[in-house]
Amino acid sequence: MPSVNGLADIVAAETELSMVDGQRGRLVYRGYEAPALAKTRRFSEVAHLLWTGRLPDPSELRELETQLTEARTLPPEIVAILDALPPEVDMMSALRTAVSAIRPRQIWPPTIEDATRIAGMMPTIVAYRHAKVTGQTPVPPRLDLSHVANYLYMLNGRAPSEAHTRALEAYLILTIDHGLNASTFAGRVAASTQSDLSAALTAALAAMKGPLHGGAPSLVMDMLDEIGSRENAAPFLRAKLERGERLMGFGHRVYKTRDPRAEALRDIVIELTQADPWFDLAAHTETIALRLLEEYKPGRELYTNVEYWAAAILRTVEIPKPIYTATFSISRVVGWSAHVLEQAANNRLIRPQSTYVGPLPA
Ligand code: CMC
């Protein structure tokens, strides 16, 4: 194991945005418990909290929602870029490419206005691209729906139920920020060079794509689809662990107890899908997985992470599997941009050192 060990436990920034307490299983956004915000607040309210440090009053909320809504209609050059990408280009690469082409109105320092504009555009980018690659006619955004309801509307072509909107909203709030995770760090590193907001978000999206970070929920779904039945859970998971493979949706670099986001999402899934046999399979599989992880990886403190129950929410609200990571990004873009603003407000180039362990010239 290299001595740098994935920078585990290294503190590389001070932030007022989110506190992740991995020992107690607690997540706080700017002084508020994240699960409580997820149960009571709208996505746009929590975005305002992260960007400005305060929950909005009614007129500030109206103003922010107007700006997010105005950004929903994509500029023609972004549509042209999406149309030019071959259908085999995966969703995260398409989203990254489109975001990289958005020109911020102000290059440096980054602004909340540009953060709002990009956050407002991202759901349309994802829905538009998804429609195109699946041979459907893209559904233009509806300006009378909320940020979250409109995303579901563009994907499914019909206005979502209140229950589905709330469930997805809770997921998006619970994933909006999470300390110095890999994508946020990547975004802050890019911002620290005084690169612009689109560039920093492009770096963050690149880090988000990988299966050890944002790519996990679709792999959780693949795993549950492969398991297929209650009886198959134990033999399937055991065989995976015997082969030295990881169980998707379990384990976390920071949480050494249950991930509070997983807990909150599980409650929401129970409310939404009580009678669904699929929930029974997911709950049963979770129990078996935790038991087997204890058997195969004793002392490693592996618990269910946010992605496990995120997969269940995304499935229930009918988000297609190929766009799970992009949906996570629609939420996390708020956290990334808040970190970029925070970095810019007190900037110093992030430039660590490496230890040379190669040979020296003879
Ligand atoms: N299944 C089986 N074994 C695991 C798992 C898992 N899901 N996670 C960790 N381990 C084992 C790992 O094999 C290692 O065992 P050993 O000591 O025998 O070598 C030990 O636990 C420590 O693992 P690690 O790789 O040093 O831990 P890490 O902190 O680098 O990894 C992780 C964290 C999330 C990448 C990892 O737990 C994992 O790969 N999980 C599965 C993928 C997943 O669910 N990702 C979503 C993470 S939550 C989303 C987010 O916040 O970004």
Side-chain angles (χ1 to χ4, degrees), residues 1 5-6 8 175 178 181-183 208 210-217 219-220 240-241 244-256 259 261 293 296-308 328 332:
M1 170 80 68
N5 195 15
T175 49
H178 204 238
N181 57 85
S183 55
M208 179 65 132
L212 297 189
H213 187 14
L219 299 172
V220 171
K240 231 172 147 47
L241 289 166
E245 291 174 15
R246 292 180 178 217
L247 307 186
M248 287 295 144
F250 297 89
H252 199 273
R253 174 61 64 82
V254 182
Y255 291 116
K256 297 307 167 199
D259 181 336
R261 304 167 300 170
L293 284 169
Y296 280 83
K297 299 281 173 184
R300 307 311 196 285
E301 299 179 295
L302 299 170
Y303 296 90
T304 317
N305 66 43
V306 65
E307 307 299 3
Y308 191 83
F328 184 177
R332 188 55 66 83

Side-chain angles (χ1 to χ4, degrees), residues 160-322:
S161 69
E162 182 60 22
H164 278 194
T165 305
R166 282 301 307 153
L168 182 61
E169 192 138 33
Y171 164 69
L172 296 175
I173 291 172
L174 284 165
T175 49
I176 206 167
D177 195 45
H178 204 238
L180 207 56
N181 57 85
S183 55
T184 300
F185 186 49
R188 279 190 89 129
V189 170
S192 84
T193 70
Q194 296 195 355
S195 203
D196 63 60
L197 181 61
S198 300
L201 297 178
T202 305
L205 282 161
M208 179 65 132
K209 184 180 175 187
L212 297 189
H213 187 14
S218 53
L219 299 172
V220 171
M221 276 304 303
D222 289 343
M223 189 178 84
L224 287 165
D225 284 344
E226 272 184 74
I227 290 174
S229 71
R230 257 175 160 265
E231 309 71 64
N232 196 30
F236 179 93
L237 296 175
R238 191 178 283 284
K240 231 172 147 47
L241 289 166
E242 286 285 345
R243 289 194 299 271
E245 291 174 15
R246 292 180 178 217
L247 307 186
M248 287 295 144
F250 297 89
H252 199 273
R253 174 61 64 82
V254 182
Y255 291 116
K256 297 307 167 199
T257 179
R258 279 196 71 142
D259 181 336
R261 304 167 300 170
E263 299 266 304
L265 289 179
R266 189 180 201 274
D267 292 348
I268 294 161
V269 176
I270 291 171
E271 246 177 75
L272 273 177
T273 59
Q274 270 154 352
D276 190 335
W278 191 87
F279 171 75
D280 182 58
L281 174 68
H284 176 73
T285 301
E286 182 190 33
T287 311
I288 303 275
L290 291 172
R291 208 178 66 212
L292 290 175
L293 284 169
E294 193 47 51
E295 182 184 327
Y296 280 83
K297 299 281 173 184
R300 307 311 196 285
E301 299 179 295
L302 299 170
Y303 296 90
T304 317
N305 66 43
V306 65
E307 307 299 3
Y308 191 83
W309 290 106
I313 295 258
L314 296 174
R315 176 188 176 276
T316 307
V317 304
E318 295 171 53
I319 302 261
K321 207 163 26 175

Side-chain angles (χ1 to χ4, degrees), residues 8-31:
D9 301 325
I10 302 292
V11 174
E14 286 189 346
T15 183
E16 295 180 355
L17 297 169
S18 59
M19 181 194 78
V20 185
D21 182 341
Q23 296 304 321
R24 291 182 195 80
R26 192 168 175 217
L27 175 61
V28 170
Y29 299 150
R30 287 197 184 268

Side-chain angles (χ1 to χ4, degrees), residues 87-151:
E88 318 74 84
V89 173
D90 66 87
M91 178 58 81
M92 282 303 285
S93 300
L95 177 61
R96 195 188 60 230
T97 303
V99 168
S100 76
I102 300 172
R103 192 171 189 282
R105 296 201 169 121
Q106 178 168 303
I107 299 301
W108 186 266
T111 64
I112 296 181
E113 290 66 37
D114 277 324
T116 307
R117 205 159 59 88
I118 298 174
M121 286 165 79
M122 277 178 49
T124 316
I125 294 173
V126 175
Y128 179 88
R129 174 74 186 167
H130 178 68
K132 282 286 188 173
V133 295
T134 53
Q136 301 167 59
T137 308
V139 176
R142 251 176 70 177
L143 306 184
D144 58 323
L145 294 176
S146 74
H147 187 67
V148 176
N150 175 59
Y151 180 49

